[in-house]
């Protein structure tokens, strides 16, 4: 017969478990302390790096993107406050504030043409034209960061992805799945016809017309019914290169 462990044996086993637990806690605390120390060192080095390369960060978009990646790794957001250390050191908060204002202006000036939906690429092209005098290049990454700050203000700005394109929406229009599929289909040549949508998406004519009429009402589409074949073409400025740079001198 197997003998049950006595009270002394149980106490010894419990003490051993406690020792293992304490040892594990001490190791975890040591690792945490080491990580905190390494993080503090890295943040200090990051500040020194920012001081040394201040001009490059403001003027060089590739350098600026790498700097943001470095910040993200240590949980630093240089755009979090216009009055913080990073804003004072780099003026980078002002850079994105000014860019955000220009994004709003471009979206408002082009809204009558595109219904408040503009491709990120076209938005950047407009901004580059405006900022030539400043000699501060702007990338899509910069635009995305500026727009993310605009969202905090509840301004209705949002970046959506349809197919292979990123679009910036500056109006509260809600696009459903049917609208998104039509916009994706239009990316090929900038327009669609009722017949093409029926054929490519295997929809009924009623479903196609309902979706297209909604897009027309929202100002996202323009209709061209002057074609020789008699088929109406629904053009979408937000995905059509034909309308790119229209009014780019604004």
């Amino acid at each position: 017969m197997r003998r049950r462990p006595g009270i002394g044996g149980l106490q010894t086993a419990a003490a051993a478990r406690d020792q293992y637990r304490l040892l594990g806690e001490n190791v975890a605390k040591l690792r945490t302390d080491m990580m905190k120390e390494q993080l503090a060192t890295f943040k200090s080095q990051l500040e020194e790096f920012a001081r040394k390369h201040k001009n490059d960060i403001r003027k060089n978009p590739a350098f600026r993107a790498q700097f943001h990646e470095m910040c993200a790794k240590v949980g630093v957001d240089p755009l979090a406050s216009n009055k913080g250390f990073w804003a004072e050191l780099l003026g980078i908060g002002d850079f994105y504030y000014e860019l955000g204002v220009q994004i709003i202006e471009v979206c408002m000036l082009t809204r009558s043409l595109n219904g408040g939906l503009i491709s990120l690429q076209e938005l950047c092209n407009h901004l580059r034209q405006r900022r030539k005098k400043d000699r501060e290049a702007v990338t899509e990454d910069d635009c995305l960061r500026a727009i993310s700050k605009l969202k905090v203000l509840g301004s209705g700005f949002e970046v959506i992805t349809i197919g292979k394109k990123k679009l910036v929406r500056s109006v509260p229009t809600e696009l459903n799945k049917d609208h998104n599929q039509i916009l994706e289909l239009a990316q090929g040549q900038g327009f669609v016809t009722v017949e093409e949508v029926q054929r490519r998406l295997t929809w009924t004519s009623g479903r196609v017309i309902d979706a297209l009429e909604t897009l027309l009402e929202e100002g996202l589409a323009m209709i061209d019914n002057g074609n020789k074949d008699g088929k109406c073409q629904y053009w979408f400025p937000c995905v059509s290169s034909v309308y790119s740079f229209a009014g780019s001198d604004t």
Side-chain angles (χ1 to χ4, degrees):
M1 294 178 63
R2 295 179 61 184
R3 296 178 60 186
R4 294 183 178 180
I7 295 176
L10 290 172
Q11 289 177 337
T12 301
R17 284 197 299 271
D18 288 341
Q19 287 180 344
Y20 282 125
R21 179 177 56 79
L22 289 171
L23 180 61
E25 289 176 355
N26 288 335
V27 170
K29 185 178 184 302
L30 182 62
R31 287 179 176 172
T32 301
D33 290 342
M34 287 178 63
M35 287 178 65
K36 286 181 178 178
E37 185 178 342
Q38 291 174 349
L39 198 59
T41 301
F42 193 78
K43 284 185 176 180
S44 176
Q45 293 173 341
L46 187 63
E47 291 175 9
E48 183 60 32
F49 176 87
R51 287 190 182 95
K52 185 177 179 180
H53 299 284
K54 176 179 178 179
N55 291 333
D56 290 322
I57 292 170
R58 276 193 64 92
K59 301 291 183 181
N60 187 319
F63 207 93
R64 188 163 55 247
Q66 291 176 350
F67 175 71
H68 278 296
E69 288 180 14
M70 292 168 61
C71 288
K73 288 179 180 178
V74 292
V76 172
D77 183 2
L79 306 184
S81 171
N82 257 3
K83 298 180 181 179
F85 165 79
W86 295 102
E88 293 176 6
L89 174 64
L90 300 173
I92 201 166
D94 292 336
F95 173 89
Y96 285 100
Y97 171 77
E98 292 165 6
L99 183 60
V101 171
Q102 291 175 336
I103 287 172
I104 292 173
E105 290 175 350
V106 170
C107 288
M108 289 181 65
L109 287 169
T110 59
R111 190 172 292 173
S112 62
L113 176 66
N114 55 38
L117 198 61
I118 184 172
S119 74
L120 181 61
Q121 181 182 20
E122 185 182 349
L123 175 61
C124 286
N125 288 337
H126 279 286
L127 292 168
R128 290 182 189 118
Q129 289 291 319
R130 283 173 162 248
R131 298 173 68 89
K132 276 183 177 179
K133 295 178 182 177
D134 299 334
R135 296 182 180 178
E136 290 180 346
V138 175
T139 65
E140 291 188 3
D141 180 72
D142 288 327
C143 290
L144 291 172
R145 292 182 189 280
I147 292 168
S148 72
K149 298 306 170 186
L150 291 176
K151 287 177 66 176
V152 176
L153 302 176
S155 54
F157 280 78
E158 184 181 11
V159 179
I160 60 176
T161 301
I162 296 179
K164 297 180 180 179
K165 279 186 176 287
K166 281 186 169 65
L167 304 175
V168 179
R169 182 168 60 192
S170 60
V171 291
T173 304
E174 288 296 329
L175 301 176
N176 63 29
K177 187 177 180 181
D178 283 4
H179 302 146
N180 288 342
Q181 284 185 277
I182 289 176
L183 285 169
E184 184 175 355
L185 191 61
Q187 289 179 22
Q189 51 191 356
F191 69 89
V192 297
T193 64
V194 172
E195 293 78 10
E196 179 188 11
V197 177
Q198 279 185 268
R199 185 180 72 257
R200 297 279 295 276
L201 301 179
T202 61
W203 291 358
T204 63
S205 61
R207 181 178 178 182
V208 176
I209 292 171
D210 181 63
L212 288 172
E213 287 297 322
T214 299
L215 291 168
L216 279 172
E217 290 171 5
E218 295 293 342
L220 300 177
M222 303 171 68
I223 192 167
D224 178 7
N225 53 14
N227 297 287
K228 294 180 180 179
D229 59 8
K231 295 180 180 179
C232 291
Q233 294 179 345
Y234 293 81
W235 286 85
F236 297 90
C238 60
V239 298
S240 172
S241 59
V242 172
Y243 294 93
S244 295
F245 282 104
S248 62
D249 56 336
T250 56

